[in-house]
Amino acid sequence: MTLDAKTAFDALRMREIVPALRQEIGGHPLVYLDNAASTLRPQQVLDAQNAFEESSYSNVHRGVHTLSQRATQAFEDARETVARFIGATSSNEIVFVRGTTEALNLVAQTHGRQAVSEGDQVMVSEMEHHSNIVPWQMLCSETGAQLVKIPLTESGDLDLDVYHEALSERTKIVAISHVSNVLGTKNPIEEMAQSARSVGATVVVDGAQSAPHLGVDVEALGCDFYAFSAHKLYGPSGMGALWGKQDLLEAMPPWQGGGSMIRSVSFSGTEWNELPYKFEAGTPNITGAVGMAAAIDFLEAIGLEPIAAREAELLEAARSALLAESSVQVLGDPKQRASVVSFLIDGIHAHDVGQVLDQEGVAVRVGHHCAQPIMEFYGVASTSRASFGVYNDASDIDRLIDAIRTAKSFFAV
Ligand code: PLP
Protein backbone atom coordinates (compact mmCIF):
# COMPACT_ATOMS: atom_id res chain seq x y z
CA MET A 1 0.00 0.00 0.00
CA THR A 2 1.41 3.39 -0.94
CA LEU A 3 1.34 5.64 2.01
CA ASP A 4 0.33 9.22 1.51
CA ALA A 5 -1.90 11.68 3.32
CA LYS A 6 -4.99 10.33 1.57
CA THR A 7 -4.34 6.73 2.55
CA ALA A 8 -3.18 7.60 6.01
CA PHE A 9 -6.19 9.66 6.91
CA ASP A 10 -8.56 6.92 5.89
CA ALA A 11 -9.25 5.38 9.31
CA LEU A 12 -10.05 1.93 7.93
CA ARG A 13 -6.83 1.75 6.00
CA MET A 14 -4.95 3.03 9.01
CA ARG A 15 -6.20 0.02 10.87
CA GLU A 16 -4.43 -2.07 8.22
CA ILE A 17 -1.25 -0.07 8.64
CA VAL A 18 -1.11 0.03 12.46
CA PRO A 19 -1.65 -3.48 13.87
CA ALA A 20 -2.47 -2.39 17.44
CA LEU A 21 -5.52 -0.54 16.12
CA ARG A 22 -7.04 -3.79 14.86
CA GLN A 23 -8.19 -4.86 18.29
CA GLU A 24 -11.20 -4.41 20.47
CA ILE A 25 -11.04 -3.20 24.04
CA GLY A 26 -14.09 -3.91 26.22
CA GLY A 27 -15.87 -5.22 23.12
CA HIS A 28 -15.36 -1.97 21.18
CA PRO A 29 -12.90 -1.15 18.39
CA LEU A 30 -9.98 0.63 20.01
CA VAL A 31 -9.90 4.42 19.77
CA TYR A 32 -6.42 5.50 20.70
CA LEU A 33 -6.16 9.05 22.02
CA ASP A 34 -3.02 8.67 24.12
CA ASN A 35 -0.56 9.71 21.45
CA ALA A 36 1.15 12.36 23.57
CA ALA A 37 2.31 9.56 25.90
CA SER A 38 3.33 7.11 23.17
CA THR A 39 2.15 6.57 19.63
CA LEU A 40 1.31 3.14 18.25
CA ARG A 41 3.75 1.71 15.76
CA PRO A 42 2.88 1.14 12.11
CA GLN A 43 3.64 -2.20 10.51
CA GLN A 44 6.42 -0.69 8.42
CA VAL A 45 8.32 0.37 11.55
CA LEU A 46 7.90 -3.08 13.11
CA ASP A 47 8.98 -4.68 9.80
CA ALA A 48 12.04 -2.46 9.49
CA GLN A 49 13.13 -3.37 13.01
CA ASN A 50 12.50 -7.09 12.45
CA ALA A 51 14.28 -7.15 9.10
CA PHE A 52 17.26 -5.42 10.66
CA GLU A 53 17.30 -7.83 13.61
CA GLU A 54 17.07 -10.82 11.30
CA SER A 55 19.77 -9.96 8.80
CA SER A 56 21.96 -7.10 9.92
CA TYR A 57 22.02 -6.94 13.70
CA SER A 58 25.40 -6.77 15.36
CA ASN A 59 27.30 -4.22 17.40
CA VAL A 60 28.17 -0.98 15.63
CA HIS A 61 31.49 0.74 14.82
CA ARG A 62 34.94 -0.82 14.83
CA GLY A 63 33.71 -4.19 13.52
CA VAL A 64 35.26 -5.47 10.32
CA HIS A 65 32.84 -8.32 9.74
CA THR A 66 29.86 -7.97 7.44
CA LEU A 67 27.11 -7.84 10.04
CA SER A 68 28.88 -5.14 12.03
CA GLN A 69 29.39 -3.12 8.87
CA ARG A 70 25.72 -3.49 7.95
CA ALA A 71 24.64 -2.51 11.45
CA THR A 72 26.97 0.51 11.45
CA GLN A 73 25.67 1.59 8.06
CA ALA A 74 22.03 1.31 9.20
CA PHE A 75 22.78 3.15 12.44
CA GLU A 76 24.57 6.01 10.69
CA ASP A 77 21.93 6.16 7.94
CA ALA A 78 19.38 6.59 10.73
CA ARG A 79 21.39 9.53 12.06
CA GLU A 80 21.29 11.13 8.59
CA THR A 81 17.52 10.63 8.49
CA VAL A 82 17.06 12.26 11.90
CA ALA A 83 19.30 15.19 10.89
CA ARG A 84 17.34 15.78 7.69
CA PHE A 85 14.01 15.44 9.53
CA ILE A 86 14.72 18.39 11.83
CA GLY A 87 16.77 20.47 9.40
CA ALA A 88 20.16 19.99 11.09
CA THR A 89 23.14 21.08 9.01
CA SER A 90 25.15 17.98 9.82
CA SER A 91 24.47 14.53 11.25
CA ASN A 92 27.44 15.18 13.57
CA GLU A 93 25.03 17.36 15.48
CA ILE A 94 22.71 14.44 16.23
CA VAL A 95 23.42 12.57 19.46
CA PHE A 96 21.42 9.38 19.93
CA VAL A 97 19.96 9.10 23.43
CA ARG A 98 17.22 7.16 25.24
CA GLY A 99 14.73 9.95 24.77
CA THR A 100 13.90 13.55 25.58
CA THR A 101 14.58 13.08 29.30
CA GLU A 102 18.07 11.79 28.73
CA ALA A 103 18.78 14.52 26.18
CA LEU A 104 17.80 17.26 28.62
CA ASN A 105 19.86 15.73 31.42
CA LEU A 106 22.82 15.50 29.05
CA VAL A 107 22.60 19.21 28.24
CA ALA A 108 22.11 20.22 31.88
CA GLN A 109 25.07 18.20 33.07
CA THR A 110 27.51 19.17 30.33
CA HIS A 111 26.71 22.54 28.78
CA GLY A 112 24.83 23.52 31.94
CA ARG A 113 27.77 22.90 34.23
CA GLN A 114 29.98 24.84 31.85
CA ALA A 115 27.70 27.81 31.35
CA VAL A 116 26.13 28.29 34.77
CA SER A 117 27.76 29.49 37.98
CA GLU A 118 26.63 30.83 41.31
CA GLY A 119 24.34 33.85 40.92
CA ASP A 120 23.40 33.00 37.32
CA GLN A 121 19.88 32.18 36.26
CA VAL A 122 18.29 29.31 34.39
CA MET A 123 14.79 30.00 33.09
CA VAL A 124 12.15 27.34 32.55
CA SER A 125 8.46 27.78 31.99
CA GLU A 126 5.63 26.86 34.30
CA MET A 127 4.20 24.53 31.65
CA GLU A 128 7.22 22.22 31.45
CA HIS A 129 7.17 18.47 31.75
CA HIS A 130 9.14 17.40 34.83
CA SER A 131 11.97 16.32 32.56
CA ASN A 132 12.54 19.95 31.62
CA ILE A 133 12.41 21.17 35.22
CA VAL A 134 14.16 18.66 37.44
CA PRO A 135 17.51 18.47 35.55
CA TRP A 136 17.73 22.28 35.81
CA GLN A 137 16.78 22.24 39.48
CA MET A 138 19.58 19.74 40.04
CA LEU A 139 21.99 21.95 38.13
CA CYS A 140 20.96 25.02 40.10
CA SER A 141 21.31 23.34 43.46
CA GLU A 142 24.75 22.08 42.41
CA THR A 143 26.00 25.42 41.12
CA GLY A 144 24.19 27.92 43.32
CA ALA A 145 22.35 29.34 40.32
CA GLN A 146 18.72 30.43 40.52
CA LEU A 147 15.87 28.68 38.71
CA VAL A 148 13.48 31.32 37.38
CA LYS A 149 9.96 30.49 36.25
CA ILE A 150 8.30 31.93 33.13
CA PRO A 151 4.71 32.11 34.37
CA LEU A 152 1.58 30.78 32.72
CA THR A 153 -1.48 32.88 32.03
CA GLU A 154 -5.04 31.62 32.54
CA SER A 155 -5.35 30.88 28.80
CA GLY A 156 -2.42 28.47 29.03
CA ASP A 157 0.02 30.76 27.20
CA LEU A 158 3.33 31.89 28.60
CA ASP A 159 3.44 35.41 29.98
CA LEU A 160 5.90 36.79 27.47
CA ASP A 161 6.01 40.26 29.04
CA VAL A 162 7.31 38.75 32.24
CA TYR A 163 9.72 36.62 30.22
CA HIS A 164 11.20 39.52 28.26
CA GLU A 165 11.52 41.59 31.40
CA ALA A 166 13.14 38.83 33.43
CA LEU A 167 15.85 38.15 30.84
CA SER A 168 19.18 39.66 31.78
CA GLU A 169 22.87 39.02 31.44
CA ARG A 170 22.52 36.68 34.39
CA THR A 171 20.27 34.40 32.31
CA LYS A 172 22.49 31.66 30.93
CA ILE A 173 19.96 29.08 29.78
CA VAL A 174 16.31 29.23 28.72
CA ALA A 175 14.65 25.80 28.55
CA ILE A 176 11.15 25.60 27.09
CA SER A 177 8.85 23.10 25.49
CA HIS A 178 7.84 23.69 21.90
CA VAL A 179 4.39 22.21 22.55
CA SER A 180 2.90 21.59 26.01
CA ASN A 181 1.96 17.98 26.71
CA VAL A 182 -0.98 19.11 28.88
CA LEU A 183 -2.40 22.23 27.25
CA GLY A 184 -1.22 21.75 23.68
CA THR A 185 0.16 25.31 23.74
CA LYS A 186 2.57 25.94 20.88
CA ASN A 187 5.15 28.36 22.25
CA PRO A 188 6.66 31.10 20.05
CA ILE A 189 10.14 29.63 20.14
CA GLU A 190 11.55 31.89 17.39
CA GLU A 191 10.63 35.04 19.31
CA MET A 192 11.70 33.65 22.69
CA ALA A 193 15.00 32.39 21.29
CA GLN A 194 15.78 35.71 19.70
CA SER A 195 15.37 37.55 23.02
CA ALA A 196 17.36 34.90 24.87
CA ARG A 197 20.17 35.20 22.36
CA SER A 198 20.26 38.97 22.81
CA VAL A 199 21.36 38.46 26.42
CA GLY A 200 23.74 35.65 25.48
CA ALA A 201 21.64 32.78 26.88
CA THR A 202 21.46 29.40 25.19
CA VAL A 203 18.03 28.03 24.29
CA VAL A 204 17.09 24.43 24.94
CA VAL A 205 13.88 23.24 23.32
CA ASP A 206 11.94 20.22 24.52
CA GLY A 207 10.54 18.97 21.21
CA ALA A 208 8.87 15.81 22.55
CA GLN A 209 5.43 17.06 21.54
CA SER A 210 6.36 19.03 18.43
CA ALA A 211 8.53 16.66 16.39
CA PRO A 212 5.64 14.24 15.71
CA HIS A 213 3.14 16.93 14.76
CA LEU A 214 4.79 19.97 13.17
CA GLY A 215 7.47 20.18 10.53
CA VAL A 216 10.45 21.20 12.65
CA ASP A 217 13.44 23.16 11.40
CA VAL A 218 15.90 23.68 14.23
CA GLU A 219 17.80 26.38 12.36
CA ALA A 220 14.62 28.38 11.78
CA LEU A 221 13.59 27.98 15.42
CA GLY A 222 16.83 29.71 16.39
CA CYS A 223 17.48 27.41 19.34
CA ASP A 224 20.78 25.83 20.44
CA PHE A 225 19.51 22.40 21.50
CA TYR A 226 16.42 20.43 20.52
CA ALA A 227 15.41 17.13 22.15
CA PHE A 228 12.82 14.55 21.13
CA SER A 229 11.75 10.93 21.60
CA ALA A 230 11.11 8.22 19.00
CA HIS A 231 8.22 6.60 20.90
CA LYS A 232 6.08 9.71 20.46
CA LEU A 233 6.62 9.71 16.69
CA TYR A 234 5.57 6.17 15.81
CA GLY A 235 8.97 4.68 16.65
CA PRO A 236 10.31 2.56 19.51
CA SER A 237 10.73 3.52 23.16
CA GLY A 238 14.18 3.88 24.70
CA MET A 239 15.31 5.90 21.70
CA GLY A 240 15.56 9.59 20.94
CA ALA A 241 17.80 12.32 19.69
CA LEU A 242 19.46 15.46 20.90
CA TRP A 243 20.38 18.07 18.33
CA GLY A 244 22.92 20.66 19.36
CA LYS A 245 24.82 23.35 17.48
CA GLN A 246 28.16 21.93 16.46
CA ASP A 247 30.28 24.62 18.15
CA LEU A 248 28.47 24.12 21.46
CA LEU A 249 28.72 20.34 21.26
CA GLU A 250 32.44 20.65 20.43
CA ALA A 251 33.00 22.86 23.46
CA MET A 252 31.06 20.63 25.87
CA PRO A 253 32.76 18.01 28.01
CA PRO A 254 31.56 14.44 27.56
CA TRP A 255 28.71 13.28 29.77
CA GLN A 256 29.19 9.59 30.44
CA GLY A 257 32.51 7.80 30.12
CA GLY A 258 33.11 4.40 28.56
CA GLY A 259 33.58 2.71 25.23
CA SER A 260 32.97 4.56 21.95
CA MET A 261 33.24 8.04 23.45
CA ILE A 262 37.04 7.93 23.43
CA ARG A 263 39.71 8.15 20.76
CA SER A 264 42.39 6.68 23.02
CA VAL A 265 42.63 5.66 26.65
CA SER A 266 45.72 5.46 28.76
CA PHE A 267 46.43 5.86 32.45
CA SER A 268 48.31 9.01 31.58
CA GLY A 269 45.24 10.55 29.96
CA THR A 270 42.25 9.91 27.73
CA GLU A 271 41.32 11.64 24.50
CA TRP A 272 37.66 12.12 23.61
CA ASN A 273 36.20 10.90 20.35
CA GLU A 274 34.85 13.30 17.72
CA LEU A 275 31.21 14.35 17.50
CA PRO A 276 28.73 12.89 18.01
CA TYR A 277 30.42 9.83 19.50
CA LYS A 278 31.89 11.85 22.37
CA PHE A 279 28.37 11.76 23.85
CA GLU A 280 27.52 8.15 23.04
CA ALA A 281 29.29 6.01 25.64
CA GLY A 282 28.58 2.27 25.47
CA THR A 283 26.55 0.20 23.05
CA PRO A 284 23.63 2.28 21.78
CA ASN A 285 20.05 1.26 20.98
CA ILE A 286 20.92 0.08 17.48
CA THR A 287 17.56 -1.40 16.49
CA GLY A 288 15.95 1.65 18.09
CA ALA A 289 17.79 3.92 15.67
CA VAL A 290 16.60 1.81 12.74
CA GLY A 291 13.03 1.99 14.08
CA MET A 292 13.26 5.73 14.60
CA ALA A 293 14.41 6.26 11.01
CA ALA A 294 11.62 4.01 9.72
CA ALA A 295 9.11 6.03 11.76
CA ILE A 296 10.42 9.25 10.25
CA ASP A 297 10.09 7.71 6.77
CA PHE A 298 6.50 6.83 7.69
CA LEU A 299 5.73 10.40 8.78
CA GLU A 300 7.46 11.95 5.80
CA ALA A 301 5.59 9.73 3.36
CA ILE A 302 2.33 11.14 4.71
CA GLY A 303 3.82 14.65 4.90
CA LEU A 304 4.31 16.81 7.98
CA GLU A 305 2.22 19.64 6.56
CA PRO A 306 -0.87 17.51 5.93
CA ILE A 307 -0.36 15.92 9.35
CA ALA A 308 -0.24 19.31 11.09
CA ALA A 309 -3.30 20.55 9.18
CA ARG A 310 -5.29 17.41 9.81
CA GLU A 311 -4.44 17.22 13.52
CA ALA A 312 -5.28 20.91 13.93
CA GLU A 313 -8.76 20.21 12.49
CA LEU A 314 -9.24 17.27 14.84
CA LEU A 315 -8.07 19.26 17.82
CA GLU A 316 -10.50 22.09 17.11
CA ALA A 317 -13.35 19.63 16.56
CA ALA A 318 -12.53 17.87 19.84
CA ARG A 319 -12.28 21.14 21.77
CA SER A 320 -15.64 22.33 20.40
CA ALA A 321 -17.32 19.02 21.20
CA LEU A 322 -15.90 19.00 24.72
CA LEU A 323 -16.84 22.63 25.33
CA ALA A 324 -20.39 21.91 24.17
CA GLU A 325 -20.74 19.06 26.65
CA SER A 326 -22.37 19.84 30.00
CA SER A 327 -20.21 19.39 33.12
CA VAL A 328 -17.05 19.25 31.01
CA GLN A 329 -14.34 21.87 31.34
CA VAL A 330 -11.44 22.29 28.98
CA LEU A 331 -8.16 23.40 30.51
CA GLY A 332 -6.73 26.54 28.90
CA ASP A 333 -7.38 28.21 25.57
CA PRO A 334 -3.91 28.89 24.19
CA LYS A 335 -3.48 31.15 21.16
CA GLN A 336 -1.58 28.58 19.16
CA ARG A 337 -1.96 24.90 19.90
CA ALA A 338 -1.34 21.43 18.61
CA SER A 339 -2.69 17.91 19.07
CA VAL A 340 -3.46 17.88 22.82
CA VAL A 341 -6.53 18.82 24.90
CA SER A 342 -6.98 18.34 28.65
CA PHE A 343 -10.39 18.29 30.26
CA LEU A 344 -12.19 17.77 33.55
CA ILE A 345 -15.63 16.39 34.24
CA ASP A 346 -17.28 18.01 37.26
CA GLY A 347 -17.74 15.54 40.06
CA ILE A 348 -15.77 12.68 38.48
CA HIS A 349 -12.15 11.98 39.34
CA ALA A 350 -9.94 11.83 36.26
CA HIS A 351 -8.90 8.25 37.08
CA ASP A 352 -12.55 7.18 37.10
CA VAL A 353 -13.05 8.98 33.78
CA GLY A 354 -10.08 7.11 32.36
CA GLN A 355 -11.44 3.79 33.54
CA VAL A 356 -14.92 4.24 32.13
CA LEU A 357 -13.49 5.48 28.84
CA ASP A 358 -11.25 2.43 28.69
CA GLN A 359 -14.24 0.14 29.16
CA GLU A 360 -15.76 1.93 26.18
CA GLY A 361 -12.61 1.22 24.15
CA VAL A 362 -11.32 4.82 24.29
CA ALA A 363 -7.75 5.23 25.51
CA VAL A 364 -6.92 8.60 27.08
CA ARG A 365 -4.32 9.49 29.68
CA VAL A 366 -5.29 10.69 33.13
CA GLY A 367 -3.21 12.14 35.94
CA HIS A 368 -0.81 15.03 36.29
CA HIS A 369 0.97 14.20 33.02
CA CYS A 370 4.38 14.77 34.69
CA ALA A 371 3.58 18.47 34.77
CA GLN A 372 2.55 19.12 38.36
CA PRO A 373 3.26 22.89 38.21
CA ILE A 374 0.47 23.20 35.59
CA MET A 375 -1.90 21.29 37.87
CA GLU A 376 -0.94 23.58 40.73
CA PHE A 377 -1.51 26.66 38.56
CA TYR A 378 -5.05 25.57 37.68
CA GLY A 379 -5.71 24.22 41.18
CA VAL A 380 -6.46 20.69 40.03
CA ALA A 381 -4.89 17.37 40.97
CA SER A 382 -5.26 15.70 37.60
CA THR A 383 -6.92 15.93 34.22
CA SER A 384 -8.00 13.64 31.41
CA ARG A 385 -6.08 14.23 28.21
CA ALA A 386 -6.94 13.35 24.63
CA SER A 387 -4.10 13.64 22.15
CA PHE A 388 -4.20 13.00 18.43
CA GLY A 389 -2.08 11.19 15.92
CA VAL A 390 -2.15 10.41 12.22
CA TYR A 391 -4.59 7.53 12.61
CA ASN A 392 -7.35 9.48 14.39
CA ASP A 393 -10.41 10.83 12.68
CA ALA A 394 -13.68 12.58 13.47
CA SER A 395 -15.39 9.31 14.43
CA ASP A 396 -12.87 8.99 17.29
CA ILE A 397 -14.10 12.29 18.68
CA ASP A 398 -17.69 11.01 18.52
CA ARG A 399 -16.59 7.91 20.41
CA LEU A 400 -14.81 10.08 22.99
CA ILE A 401 -17.92 12.16 23.57
CA ASP A 402 -20.16 9.07 23.74
CA ALA A 403 -17.80 7.54 26.31
CA ILE A 404 -17.81 10.77 28.34
CA ARG A 405 -21.62 10.65 28.34
CA THR A 406 -21.46 7.06 29.59
CA ALA A 407 -19.14 8.17 32.38
CA LYS A 408 -21.46 11.04 33.29
CA SER A 409 -24.50 8.80 33.45
CA PHE A 410 -22.56 6.13 35.39
CA PHE A 411 -21.59 8.70 38.01
CA ALA A 412 -24.96 10.45 37.73
CA VAL A 413 -23.36 13.79 36.83
N1 PLP B 1 8.75 16.54 27.47
C1 PLP B 1 7.45 16.47 27.13
C2 PLP B 1 6.75 17.72 26.71
C3 PLP B 1 6.80 15.24 27.17
O1 PLP B 1 5.51 15.18 26.83
C4 PLP B 1 7.51 14.09 27.58
C5 PLP B 1 6.83 12.80 27.69
O2 PLP B 1 5.64 12.72 27.91
C6 PLP B 1 8.86 14.22 27.90
C7 PLP B 1 9.44 15.45 27.83
C8 PLP B 1 9.68 13.05 28.32
O3 PLP B 1 9.85 12.18 27.24
P1 PLP B 1 10.56 10.78 27.44
O4 PLP B 1 9.80 10.08 28.54
O5 PLP B 1 10.40 10.11 26.12
O6 PLP B 1 11.97 11.03 27.81
Side-chain angles (χ1 to χ4, degrees):
M1 181 183 301
T2 23
L3 193 71
D4 53 23
K6 201 161 166 292
T7 318
F9 300 150
D10 175 338
L12 289 176
R13 305 197 86 182
M14 254 304 165
R15 287 187 191 272
E16 288 167 37
I17 294 169
V18 181
L21 288 174
R22 294 199 288 266
Q23 58 187 311
E24 295 198 336
I25 304 283
H28 307 277
L30 170 63
V31 167
Y32 190 78
L33 296 174
D34 192 21
N35 296 289
S38 271
T39 41
L40 301 176
R41 280 181 282 169
Q43 189 68 51
Q44 75 182 71
V45 171
L46 301 172
D47 288 348
Q49 290 189 221
N50 275 342
F52 172 75
E53 291 274 346
E54 280 168 17
S55 65
S56 308
Y57 178 78
S58 175
N59 210 328
V60 287
H61 305 136
R62 299 176 310 282
V64 291
H65 64 78
T66 303
L67 287 192
S68 179
Q69 284 179 24
R70 280 188 201 156
T72 302
Q73 187 67 48
F75 188 69
E76 293 306 329
D77 285 350
R79 202 188 301 275
E80 295 285 342
T81 301
V82 170
R84 184 178 34 74
F85 179 59
I86 57 165
T89 355
S90 157
S91 63
N92 290 344
E93 297 180 327
I94 303 296
V95 179
F96 281 142
V97 286
R98 279 195 298 130
T100 308
T101 305
E102 187 167 82
L104 296 169
N105 277 279
L106 190 162
V107 179
Q109 289 171 36
T110 53
H111 173 71
R113 283 182 183 154
Q114 243 175 359
V116 172
S117 324
E118 191 172 354
D120 288 337
Q121 293 184 335
V122 175
M123 284 173 80
V124 299
S125 90
E126 197 169 10
M127 71 168 71
E128 297 310 310
H129 187 280
H130 297 162
S131 62
N132 203 21
I133 299 176
V134 183
W136 306 112
Q137 271 176 330
M138 290 161 69
L139 175 70
C140 287
S141 71
E142 186 184 310
T143 56
Q146 186 193 1
L147 191 68
V148 175
K149 174 181 88 177
I150 309 165
L152 264 175
T153 62
E154 199 58 36
S155 63
D157 290 297
L158 291 182
D159 191 329
L160 293 182
D161 292 339
V162 174
Y163 167 66
H164 291 300
E165 213 151 279
L167 279 173
S168 76
E169 259 135 53
R170 288 169 65 205
T171 318
K172 300 300 174 197
I173 294 174
V174 175
I176 18 171
S177 51
H178 196 178
V179 171
S180 156
N181 67 315
V182 177
L183 304 165
T185 315
K186 179 172 171 263
N187 286 315
I189 301 293
E190 294 88 340
E191 178 193 333
M192 294 179 79
Q194 203 178 9
S195 316
R197 272 203 313 274
S198 72
V199 297
T202 46
V203 178
V204 183
V205 174
D206 171 348
Q209 298 297 344
S210 58
H213 306 289
L214 314 171
V216 169
D217 179 338
V218 286
E219 297 289 341
L221 284 178
C223 57
D224 298 288
F225 296 98
Y226 180 90
F228 64 114
S229 304
H231 69 103
K232 295 183 196 288
L233 51 76
Y234 312 93
S237 56
M239 184 66 208
L242 168 69
W243 168 82
K245 279 194 178 144
Q246 184 144 349
D247 55 336
L248 286 172
L249 292 174
E250 295 279 10
M252 279 151 57
W255 182 33
Q256 294 175 327
S260 298
M261 50 74 71
I262 49 83
R263 187 166 308 186
S264 71
V265 176
S266 119
F267 283 105
S268 58
T270 289
E271 249 187 277
W272 313 137
N273 206 343
E274 64 196 7
L275 291 179
Y277 311 110
K278 181 171 84 171
F279 296 107
E280 293 181 355
T283 300
N285 183 353
I286 307 164
T287 308
V290 170
M292 184 171 190
I296 290 172
D297 289 344
F298 166 79
L299 277 176
E300 289 183 335
I302 304 171
L304 269 297
E305 266 184 39
I307 289 174
R310 158 81 168 198
E311 289 177 355
E313 264 173 40
L314 284 181
L315 178 64
E316 291 321 304
R319 286 181 61 91
S320 307
L322 289 165
L323 287 165
E325 199 56 29
S326 64
S327 309
V328 173
Q329 293 174 43
V330 172
L331 216 63
D333 183 16
K335 287 193 200 83
Q336 287 203 297
R337 49 203 179 211
S339 76
V340 175
V341 57
S342 278
F343 59 94
L344 303 157
I345 307 182
D346 298 339
I348 316 180
H349 193 283
H351 282 94
D352 294 331
V353 174
Q355 249 167 16
V356 175
L357 265 53
D358 182 54
Q359 282 160 19
E360 297 298 305
V362 178
V364 295
R365 185 136 301 241
V366 295
H368 56 57
H369 315 293
C370 296
Q372 283 178 325
I374 302 185
M375 303 294 124
E376 201 179 317
F377 175 81
Y378 285 104
V380 297
S382 55
T383 73
S384 304
R385 177 186 75 184
S387 52
F388 301 93
V390 292
Y391 32 68
N392 294 121
D393 72 1
S395 71
D396 295 343
I397 298 170
D398 296 341
R399 288 275 310 278
L400 170 68
I401 298 297
D402 286 347
I404 287 175
R405 288 183 184 159
T406 305
K408 286 197 300 186
S409 72
F410 186 82
F411 288 96
V413 167

